[in-house]
Amino acid sequence: MSENIIEIQHLEKNFGSHKVLSDIDFSVKKGDVTTIIGVSGSGKSTLLRCINVLETPSGGKILFHGNDIDEKGFSVTDYRAKVGMVFQSFNLFSNMTVLQNCMVGQVKVLGKKKAEAEEKAKYFLEKVGMLPYINAKPKQLSGGQKQRVAIARALAMEPEVLLFDEPTSALDPQMVGEVLAVMRQLAAEGLTMIVVTHEMAFARDVSNHVVFMKDGVIWEEGTPEDIFANPKKEETKDFLSRFIN
Amino acid sequence: MAEFIEGIVKVWNGYGSSFLNGALNTLIVSLVGTIAGCIIGFGVGVVQTIPTDKKDPLWKRVILTVVNLILKGYVELFRGTPMIVQSVFIYYGVRMVFDYQMDVWPAALFIVSINTGAYMAETVRGGILSIDPGQTEGAKAIGMNHFQTMMNVIIPQAFRNIIPQIGNNFIINIKDTSVLSVISFADLFFTHKSAVGALYLYFESATITMAIYLVMTVTASALLRLLEKKMDGDDNYDLATTDTLAYTSGLLSYHPKEKTLEDFK
């Protein structure tokens, strides 16, 4: 079990008396592309936010390389630097240029030299096709461009795992394509990713592990073939049939 | 009318340089007070927005609660009492309690700074709260701590948003520092009082004083607008490439190509 990068055990999350997640168990190995699917409000995003400690879990454990992230002495900021996150609403720093967005974490958090950070930022911006825009401010970019910069910003930290919280949900169909292209490429290169998405084709073709959630519970999980070709539960079939039509 | 103009000339001939000197003193105390007040305001604002977690150790939560209470008391005390009373209270209070005679200049700067600081603390808090929480989450997600997030992401944006309010405070300070004449600070209003004391030309002297105040405040607001414009930066940006096809990148035809870190060396 030690090769698991992230292991989630009996995770629970309540907002007041409202139970959002109950008894979530799953693990992620190096190179895994895990997609989490399910209707809106099923707790997918909350699960991802718990993994990055943007929400504090109400119960259960999250282990990172076998270490409990809730343990005393475990540095949450160091952990976050290794577990990147890409948001639905991009969350680029609006006071910085594209290049600065991709450099600030490397310089301030990882303590890299500016020149080195710039080189790395440019490398990852090239990868997502945004190198020409290094001098632009986020407000001057389209949604798809912003999301590609946000991906480059996360990659520039060279995380062990990258979390995607519905990265294409705020984009129009044309822009969805450009962001998914980048994500496919990253998956092909072996980046470990956990992706919350409504893009079923991406889940089917790119991921090697699919988790179907409903009402805060993992209803069914398995390989894409298991879930998409032979779903066992009625609820899973129901959910998928709505997307296939 | 001729008499009025004559009066003005008379006041100006007698006290022109004193008026200018008083105006300069007013400007200096207002400017330094506003800047120091901003620094105090940012300090207080940042401390007041430190998030606490149930998981934080008890000592941290206790210290934060006590510090926050003190800061709240400071804001309420200096926002809730008139600056003219504060001036007298501090200037003569220090002499009574500590047996120490403050000079007028340090006293004036101190009073204006902490008074402005109390107002700015609330303004800064509002500025920080106005920034989209997504910015904080984005910063946290790349591993920044509260201080780094504040310094690099939130405060630069909050500062831009509260410049109009800082300008407001500066202009208020230019006018309200006239109350410092109660501790004999030689500002513009103090000069006016000296001039009328000697010449008994109230209306004429007041006209000059009004005009100088107005020139200072109007100039200040014009300069602040300029600063705002400058901070917003250019609306345009240059593509960092000579390849004209780059203008279409980000549209439909994006094809990722393989490059390694070596290509950038």
Side-chain angles (χ1 to χ4, degrees), chain A residues 185-235:
Chain A
Q185 189 199 352
L186 296 175
E189 287 171 7
L191 180 72
T192 313
M193 314 200 299
I194 306 177
V195 186
V196 168
T197 187
H198 292 292
E199 296 292 330
M200 291 305 138
F202 180 86
R204 187 189 59 205
D205 302 339
V206 182
S207 64
N208 61 353
H209 185 199
V210 180
V211 174
F212 170 66
M213 284 182 68
K214 187 172 185 293
D215 301 330
V217 182
I218 294 182
W219 217 261
E220 194 168 349
E221 63 176 317
T223 63
E225 293 79 44
D226 293 339
I227 303 290
F228 288 96
N230 312 299
K232 291 187 188 64
K233 298 261 174 72
E234 253 341 285
E235 288 80 359

Coordinates of all heavy atoms in Angstrom, one line a residue, chain A residues 185-235:
Chain A
Q185 N -2.8 15.7 -22.8 CA -1.3 15.6 -23.0 C -0.6 15.3 -21.7 O 0.3 14.5 -21.6 CB -0.8 16.9 -23.6 CG 0.6 16.9 -24.0 CD 1.2 18.3 -24.2 OE1 0.5 19.3 -24.1 NE2 2.5 18.3 -24.4
L186 N -1.1 16.0 -20.6 CA -0.5 15.8 -19.3 C -0.7 14.4 -18.8 O 0.2 13.7 -18.2 CB -1.1 16.8 -18.3 CG -0.8 18.2 -18.5 CD1 -1.6 19.1 -17.5 CD2 0.7 18.5 -18.5
A187 N -1.9 13.8 -19.1 CA -2.2 12.5 -18.6 C -1.2 11.5 -19.4 O -0.7 10.6 -18.8 CB -3.6 12.1 -18.9
A188 N -1.0 11.8 -20.7 CA -0.2 10.9 -21.5 C 1.2 10.9 -21.0 O 2.0 10.0 -21.1 CB -0.3 11.3 -23.0
E189 N 1.6 12.1 -20.4 CA 3.0 12.2 -19.9 C 3.2 11.6 -18.5 O 4.3 11.6 -18.0 CB 3.4 13.7 -19.9 CG 3.7 14.3 -21.2 CD 3.8 15.8 -21.2 OE1 3.9 16.3 -20.1 OE2 3.9 16.4 -22.2
G190 N 2.1 11.0 -18.0 CA 2.2 10.3 -16.7 C 2.0 11.1 -15.5 O 2.3 10.7 -14.4
L191 N 1.4 12.3 -15.6 CA 1.1 13.1 -14.5 C 0.0 12.5 -13.7 O -1.0 12.1 -14.2 CB 0.7 14.6 -14.9 CG 0.4 15.5 -13.7 CD1 1.6 15.9 -13.0 CD2 -0.4 16.8 -14.3
T192 N 0.1 12.4 -12.4 CA -0.9 11.9 -11.5 C -2.0 13.0 -11.4 O -1.7 14.1 -11.0 CB -0.4 11.5 -10.1 OG1 0.8 10.8 -10.3 CG2 -1.4 10.8 -9.3
M193 N -3.3 12.6 -11.7 CA -4.3 13.7 -11.7 C -5.6 13.1 -11.0 O -5.9 11.9 -11.1 CB -4.7 14.1 -13.1 CG -3.5 14.4 -14.0 SD -3.8 15.5 -15.4 CE -5.0 14.6 -16.3
I194 N -6.3 14.0 -10.3 CA -7.6 13.6 -9.9 C -8.5 14.7 -10.5 O -8.3 15.9 -10.2 CB -7.8 13.7 -8.3 CG1 -6.8 12.7 -7.7 CG2 -9.2 13.2 -7.9 CD1 -6.8 12.8 -6.2
V195 N -9.5 14.3 -11.3 CA -10.3 15.3 -12.1 C -11.8 15.1 -11.7 O -12.3 14.0 -11.9 CB -10.0 15.0 -13.6 CG1 -10.7 16.1 -14.4 CG2 -8.6 15.0 -13.9
V196 N -12.3 16.2 -11.2 CA -13.8 16.2 -11.1 C -14.3 16.8 -12.4 O -13.9 17.9 -12.8 CB -14.2 17.1 -9.9 CG1 -15.7 17.4 -10.0 CG2 -13.9 16.5 -8.6
T197 N -15.2 16.1 -13.1 CA -15.6 16.6 -14.4 C -17.0 16.1 -14.8 O -17.5 15.1 -14.3 CB -14.5 16.1 -15.5 OG1 -14.8 16.7 -16.7 CG2 -14.5 14.6 -15.6
H198 N -17.5 16.8 -15.8 CA -18.8 16.4 -16.4 C -18.5 16.0 -17.9 O -19.4 15.8 -18.6 CB -19.8 17.6 -16.4 CG -20.3 17.9 -15.1 ND1 -21.1 17.0 -14.4 CD2 -20.1 19.0 -14.3 CE1 -21.4 17.6 -13.2 NE2 -20.8 18.7 -13.1
E199 N -17.2 16.0 -18.2 CA -16.8 15.5 -19.6 C -16.6 14.0 -19.6 O -15.6 13.5 -19.2 CB -15.4 16.2 -20.0 CG -15.5 17.7 -20.1 CD -16.4 18.2 -21.2 OE1 -16.4 17.5 -22.2 OE2 -17.0 19.3 -21.1
M200 N -17.7 13.3 -20.0 CA -17.7 11.9 -19.9 C -16.7 11.2 -20.9 O -16.1 10.2 -20.6 CB -19.1 11.3 -20.2 CG -20.1 11.7 -19.1 SD -19.5 11.1 -17.5 CE -19.9 12.5 -16.5
A201 N -16.5 11.9 -22.0 CA -15.5 11.3 -23.0 C -14.1 11.3 -22.4 O -13.4 10.4 -22.5 CB -15.6 12.1 -24.3
F202 N -13.8 12.4 -21.7 CA -12.5 12.5 -21.0 C -12.4 11.4 -20.0 O -11.4 10.7 -19.9 CB -12.4 13.9 -20.4 CG -11.0 14.1 -19.7 CD1 -9.9 14.5 -20.4 CD2 -10.9 13.8 -18.4 CE1 -8.7 14.7 -19.8 CE2 -9.6 14.0 -17.7 CZ -8.6 14.5 -18.5
A203 N -13.4 11.2 -19.2 CA -13.4 10.2 -18.1 C -13.2 8.8 -18.8 O -12.4 8.0 -18.3 CB -14.7 10.3 -17.3
R204 N -13.9 8.6 -19.8 CA -13.8 7.3 -20.5 C -12.5 7.0 -21.2 O -11.9 6.0 -21.0 CB -15.0 7.2 -21.5 CG -15.2 5.8 -22.1 CD -16.1 5.9 -23.3 NE -15.6 6.8 -24.3 CZ -16.4 7.5 -25.1 NH1 -17.7 7.3 -25.1 NH2 -15.9 8.3 -26.0
D205 N -12.0 8.0 -21.9 CA -10.8 7.8 -22.7 C -9.5 8.0 -22.0 O -8.5 7.4 -22.4 CB -10.9 8.7 -24.0 CG -12.1 8.5 -24.8 OD1 -12.8 7.4 -24.6 OD2 -12.5 9.4 -25.5
V206 N -9.5 8.9 -21.1 CA -8.2 9.4 -20.5 C -7.9 8.7 -19.2 O -6.8 8.4 -18.9 CB -8.1 10.9 -20.5 CG1 -6.7 11.3 -19.9 CG2 -8.4 11.5 -21.8
S207 N -8.9 8.6 -18.4 CA -8.6 8.1 -17.0 C -8.5 6.6 -16.9 O -8.9 5.9 -17.8 CB -9.7 8.6 -16.0 OG -11.0 8.0 -16.4
N208 N -7.8 6.2 -15.9 CA -7.7 4.7 -15.7 C -8.6 4.3 -14.4 O -8.6 3.1 -14.1 CB -6.3 4.2 -15.5 CG -5.6 4.9 -14.4 OD1 -6.1 5.8 -13.7 ND2 -4.4 4.4 -14.1
H209 N -9.2 5.3 -13.8 CA -10.0 4.9 -12.6 C -11.1 5.9 -12.5 O -10.9 7.2 -12.6 CB -9.1 5.1 -11.3 CG -9.8 4.7 -10.1 ND1 -9.3 5.1 -8.8 CD2 -10.9 3.9 -9.8 CE1 -10.1 4.6 -7.9 NE2 -11.1 3.9 -8.5
V210 N -12.3 5.4 -12.5 CA -13.5 6.3 -12.5 C -14.3 6.1 -11.2 O -14.5 5.0 -10.8 CB -14.4 6.0 -13.7 CG1 -15.6 7.0 -13.7 CG2 -13.7 6.2 -15.0
V211 N -14.6 7.2 -10.5 CA -15.4 7.2 -9.3 C -16.7 7.8 -9.5 O -16.8 9.0 -10.0 CB -14.6 7.9 -8.2 CG1 -15.5 8.0 -6.9 CG2 -13.3 7.2 -7.9
F212 N -17.8 7.1 -9.3 CA -19.1 7.7 -9.5 C -19.7 8.0 -8.1 O -19.8 7.2 -7.2 CB -20.0 6.7 -10.2 CG -21.5 7.2 -10.2 CD1 -21.9 8.4 -10.9 CD2 -22.5 6.5 -9.5 CE1 -23.2 8.8 -10.9 CE2 -23.8 6.9 -9.5 CZ -24.1 8.1 -10.2
M213 N -20.0 9.3 -7.9 CA -20.6 9.7 -6.6 C -22.0 10.1 -6.7 O -22.4 10.7 -7.7 CB -19.7 10.9 -6.0 CG -18.4 10.5 -5.5 SD -17.5 11.9 -4.8 CE -18.5 12.3 -3.4
K214 N -22.7 9.9 -5.6 CA -24.1 10.3 -5.6 C -24.4 10.5 -4.1 O -24.1 9.7 -3.3 CB -25.0 9.3 -6.2 CG -26.5 9.7 -6.3 CD -27.3 8.6 -7.1 CE -28.7 9.1 -7.4 NZ -29.6 9.2 -6.2
D215 N -25.0 11.7 -3.8 CA -25.4 12.0 -2.4 C -24.3 11.8 -1.4 O -24.5 11.3 -0.3 CB -26.6 11.1 -2.0 CG -27.8 11.3 -2.9 OD1 -27.9 12.4 -3.4 OD2 -28.6 10.3 -3.1
G216 N -23.1 12.2 -1.8 CA -22.0 12.2 -0.8 C -21.4 10.8 -0.6 O -20.6 10.7 0.4
V217 N -21.7 9.9 -1.4 CA -21.2 8.5 -1.2 C -20.6 8.1 -2.5 O -21.1 8.4 -3.6 CB -22.3 7.6 -0.8 CG1 -21.8 6.2 -0.5 CG2 -23.1 8.1 0.4
I218 N -19.5 7.3 -2.4 CA -19.0 6.6 -3.7 C -19.9 5.4 -4.0 O -20.0 4.5 -3.2 CB -17.6 6.2 -3.5 CG1 -16.7 7.4 -3.3 CG2 -17.1 5.3 -4.7 CD1 -15.2 7.0 -3.2
W219 N -20.7 5.6 -5.1 CA -21.7 4.6 -5.4 C -21.0 3.4 -6.1 O -21.3 2.3 -5.9 CB -22.7 5.2 -6.3 CG -24.1 4.8 -6.0 CD1 -24.8 3.8 -6.8 CD2 -25.0 5.2 -5.0 NE1 -26.0 3.6 -6.2 CE2 -26.2 4.4 -5.1 CE3 -24.9 6.1 -3.9 CZ2 -27.2 4.6 -4.3 CZ3 -25.9 6.2 -3.1 CH2 -27.1 5.5 -3.2
E220 N -20.1 3.7 -7.0 CA -19.5 2.7 -7.8 C -18.1 3.2 -8.3 O -18.0 4.4 -8.6 CB -20.3 2.4 -9.0 CG -19.9 1.1 -9.7 CD -21.0 0.6 -10.7 OE1 -22.1 1.2 -10.7 OE2 -20.7 -0.3 -11.5
E221 N -17.1 2.4 -8.3 CA -15.8 2.8 -8.9 C -15.2 1.7 -9.6 O -15.5 0.5 -9.4 CB -14.9 3.4 -7.8 CG -14.5 2.4 -6.7 CD -13.5 3.0 -5.7 OE1 -12.6 3.7 -6.2 OE2 -13.7 2.8 -4.5
G222 N -14.3 2.0 -10.5 CA -13.6 1.0 -11.3 C -12.9 1.5 -12.5 O -12.7 2.7 -12.6
T223 N -12.5 0.7 -13.4 CA -11.9 1.1 -14.6 C -13.0 1.8 -15.5 O -14.2 1.6 -15.3 CB -11.3 0.0 -15.4 OG1 -12.4 -0.9 -15.8 CG2 -10.3 -0.8 -14.6
P224 N -12.6 2.6 -16.5 CA -13.6 3.2 -17.4 C -14.5 2.1 -18.0 O -15.7 2.3 -18.1 CB -12.8 3.9 -18.4 CG -11.5 4.2 -17.7 CD -11.2 3.1 -16.8
E225 N -13.9 0.9 -18.3 CA -14.7 -0.1 -18.9 C -15.8 -0.6 -18.0 O -17.0 -0.7 -18.3 CB -13.9 -1.3 -19.3 CG -12.9 -1.1 -20.5 CD -11.6 -0.4 -20.0 OE1 -11.1 -0.7 -18.9 OE2 -11.2 0.6 -20.6
D226 N -15.4 -0.8 -16.7 CA -16.4 -1.2 -15.7 C -17.5 -0.2 -15.6 O -18.7 -0.6 -15.6 CB -15.7 -1.2 -14.3 CG -14.7 -2.3 -14.2 OD1 -14.7 -3.2 -15.0 OD2 -13.8 -2.2 -13.3
I227 N -17.2 1.1 -15.5 CA -18.2 2.0 -15.3 C -19.0 2.4 -16.5 O -20.3 2.4 -16.5 CB -17.6 3.3 -14.7 CG1 -16.8 3.1 -13.5 CG2 -18.7 4.4 -14.5 CD1 -17.6 2.7 -12.2
F228 N -18.4 2.5 -17.6 CA -19.1 3.0 -18.8 C -19.7 1.9 -19.6 O -20.8 2.0 -20.2 CB -18.2 3.9 -19.7 CG -17.9 5.2 -19.1 CD1 -16.7 5.4 -18.4 CD2 -18.8 6.2 -19.3 CE1 -16.4 6.6 -17.9 CE2 -18.5 7.5 -18.7 CZ -17.3 7.7 -18.0
A229 N -19.0 0.7 -19.7 CA -19.6 -0.4 -20.5 C -20.4 -1.3 -19.6 O -21.5 -1.8 -20.1 CB -18.4 -1.2 -21.1
N230 N -20.0 -1.6 -18.4 CA -20.8 -2.5 -17.6 C -21.1 -1.9 -16.2 O -20.7 -2.5 -15.2 CB -20.0 -3.8 -17.3 CG -19.5 -4.3 -18.6 OD1 -20.2 -4.7 -19.5 ND2 -18.1 -4.4 -18.7
P231 N -21.9 -0.8 -16.2 CA -22.2 -0.3 -14.8 C -23.1 -1.3 -14.1 O -24.0 -1.9 -14.7 CB -23.0 1.0 -15.1 CG -23.4 0.9 -16.5 CD -22.5 -0.1 -17.2
K232 N -22.8 -1.5 -12.8 CA -23.6 -2.5 -12.1 C -24.8 -1.9 -11.4 O -25.8 -2.6 -11.3 CB -22.6 -3.2 -11.0 CG -21.6 -4.0 -11.7 CD -20.7 -4.8 -10.6 CE -19.6 -5.5 -11.3 NZ -18.6 -4.5 -11.8
K233 N -24.7 -0.7 -10.9 CA -25.8 -0.1 -10.1 C -26.7 0.6 -11.1 O -26.3 1.2 -12.1 CB -25.2 0.9 -9.1 CG -24.3 0.2 -8.1 CD -25.0 0.0 -6.8 CE -24.2 -0.8 -5.8 NZ -23.1 0.0 -5.2
E234 N -28.0 0.6 -10.7 CA -29.1 1.3 -11.4 C -28.7 2.8 -11.5 O -28.9 3.4 -12.6 CB -30.4 1.1 -10.7 CG -31.5 0.2 -11.2 CD -31.3 -0.1 -12.7 OE1 -31.6 0.7 -13.5 OE2 -30.9 -1.3 -13.0
E235 N -28.3 3.4 -10.4 CA -28.0 4.8 -10.3 C -27.0 5.2 -11.3 O -27.1 6.3 -12.0 CB -27.6 5.2 -8.9 CG -28.7 5.2 -7.9 CD -29.0 3.8 -7.4 OE1 -28.4 2.8 -7.8 OE2 -29.9 3.7 -6.5

